[in-house]
Amino acid sequence: MFTDPPPEQPNQTHMPSASPAEFKKLVELIARSQQGYRALIDSLDQALFTLSPGGQVLVANLRLAEILKVSFPSLIGHNLSEFIESPTSDEVSLALPVLLQKGSWSGTLTIRLRGAKDVRHFSCWFQAASENGQFASITGWARDVSREHEAEVRFAELFESMGEGILFATPEGKLLEANAALVRMLGYESKEELQAHNVKEFYADPLDRAALIRELEEKGSIQNREIALRRKDGKVLRCVTSGFAIRDGSGRAVRLQGTFVDITERAEIERRLHEEQELRRRL
C-alpha cells in the first residue's frame, strides 16, 4: 500500500523558491536599473539609434529627437527620410553596400533637415547587424560637429589666404601641410608636388635647419631668424622664419610649425644701398 519515496537524484541542486515579496523587490531592482540606463543614454551628447534596413527608427534616445526637432513619440517607428532631406533615400541605398561589405563605417556626414536652409555636419559611426545570416538592422551614433566644422573652414581659409609661407612638418622633415603661399614661394606646381620632398631639401644650407631644429627642441620656439631656401629651379631665396614646436604628453616635439617671409628683394635693395654708401664713403 505504501511505497518508498524515489531516491534523490545525484548532482541535483535544490533552489529555495522566492517569496512574492522578494520577487517584487527583484522586479523593482531591474526596473530601476533599466530606468537608470535609459536616463544615462538620454543624457548623452550623441544621438544613439537602431534603424531597420529601410531606415525606420526602431530604438533611439532623446538626443536624436532633439536634433531632428520632433517629439520622441513622433520619431519611433517613423522613417528617417521623413525628417532628413539630404542625403536622400536613394543616396543612402547606394552607400549601403559599402557598409554591409565593411561591417562598420565612421566619418562626417553633411545633412540637411527638411524645412531647414542650412546644412549641418555630424560625426557618425554605423554598424550593420545580422540575424541568421541576414542583414537585420543598423546601430550607430551621431554627434553634431557643425561648429567645429565651421571653425575648421575658417582656419583653412585663413591658412590659404596668408601671404607668408606656412608649413607643418615632423622633426624628421616629413611635410604634413603647407599653404599656397609657400608652394608659390618655392616654385612648385601644387602642394602634392611639394609634399613629395623632405623639408630638408628646401634649405640651401642643411646645417641651418639642423640648428633650427635643435633650438626648437630645446626652447620650444624661434623668432625672426634669417635663412636661405632653395626653390625648385635652384634659385636661392633669403627668408625670415619663425616657428614653434608642438609636443606630446611626454614633452617630445612631434610636430613643428614654421612661417617664412621672402625678403630676397629687400635684401637685394639693402645690398645695393650698402654698396652705394660704401662708394660714397670711398669717394
Side-chain angles (χ1 to χ4, degrees):
M1 229 181 128
F2 298 99
T3 59
D4 295 330
E8 185 175 337
Q9 297 297 322
N11 300 326
Q12 184 177 359
T13 303
H14 293 276
M15 296 287 294
S17 60
S19 67
E22 292 173 333
F23 183 76
K24 182 179 179 181
K25 288 181 180 180
L26 180 60
V27 172
E28 291 175 351
L29 177 62
I30 295 174
R32 284 197 300 269
S33 299
Q34 292 175 339
Q35 291 171 359
Y37 176 71
R38 182 73 208 187
L40 174 63
I41 65 171
D42 281 337
S43 68
L44 295 175
D45 184 47
Q46 295 98 332
L48 305 179
F49 48 82
T50 297
L51 309 175
S52 72
Q56 184 183 32
V57 181
L58 304 177
V59 178
N61 66 346
L62 288 178
R63 181 59 181 147
L64 182 61
E66 292 171 359
I67 289 174
L68 299 177
K69 298 181 179 180
V70 297
S71 65
F72 190 75
S74 301
L75 176 64
I76 302 301
H78 291 257
N79 198 289
L80 277 183
S81 61
E82 299 177 31
F83 315 108
I84 297 176
E85 180 178 329
S86 176
T88 64
S89 299
D90 292 340
E91 291 171 334
V92 173
S93 298
L94 291 175
L96 195 56
V98 178
L99 173 63
L100 296 179
Q101 180 182 7
K102 295 184 176 180
S104 64
W105 181 90
S106 62
T108 301
L109 289 179
T110 300
I111 293 176
R112 186 191 301 277
L113 300 181
R114 293 197 178 276
K117 296 181 180 179
D118 301 325
V119 298
R120 296 166 69 179
H121 302 274
F122 292 86
S123 175
C124 303
W125 173 82
F126 301 103
Q127 181 170 347
S130 301
E131 290 183 8
N132 300 322
Q134 298 294 323
F135 173 40
S137 62
I138 299 173
T139 299
W141 58 260
R143 184 171 67 87
D144 192 342
V145 293
S146 300
R147 290 184 179 179
E148 293 92 329
H149 179 80
E150 291 171 2
E152 289 174 359
V153 170
R154 287 195 296 269
F155 174 78
E157 292 173 347
L158 176 63
F159 182 70
E160 292 298 334
S161 66
M162 295 289 288
E164 300 86 357
I166 305 174
L167 64 76
F168 292 89
T170 66
E172 295 75 26
K174 181 181 179 181
L175 182 60
L176 304 174
E177 188 60 78
N179 68 344
L182 185 65
V183 175
R184 292 192 301 270
M185 186 185 300
L186 294 176
Y188 288 85
E189 297 295 328
S190 66
K191 180 174 65 177
E192 290 71 25
E193 184 184 7
L194 193 70
Q195 286 179 311
H197 297 267
N198 191 289
V199 174
K200 299 174 184 177
E201 300 175 35
F202 305 144
Y203 286 76
D205 185 353
L207 295 178
D208 283 346
R209 185 174 190 274
L212 292 175
I213 296 300
R214 283 196 301 270
E215 188 169 353
L216 280 171
E217 291 179 341
E218 293 173 2
K219 299 181 179 180
S221 65
I222 55 172
Q223 294 291 327
N224 301 325
R225 296 299 175 83
E226 189 169 332
I227 60 168
L229 296 181
R230 191 178 302 280
R231 286 171 48 92
K232 179 183 177 181
D233 58 12
K235 181 181 176 182
V236 175
L237 302 177
R238 301 302 305 179
C239 296
V240 170
T241 184
S242 299
F244 63 89
I246 301 171
R247 303 181 185 277
D248 61 13
S250 65
R252 183 174 61 92
V254 293
R255 192 170 64 167
L256 309 175
Q257 178 181 341
T259 60
F260 301 86
V261 179
D262 186 357
I263 61 167
T264 304
E265 185 176 350
R266 188 182 80 185
E268 179 64 18
I269 293 174
E270 291 175 350
R271 185 187 66 79
R272 291 179 181 178
L273 287 174
H274 178 73
E275 289 179 351
E276 290 178 4
Q277 291 171 354
E278 183 64 17
L279 179 60
R280 290 195 187 99
R281 188 188 65 78
R282 291 200 301 272
L283 290 174

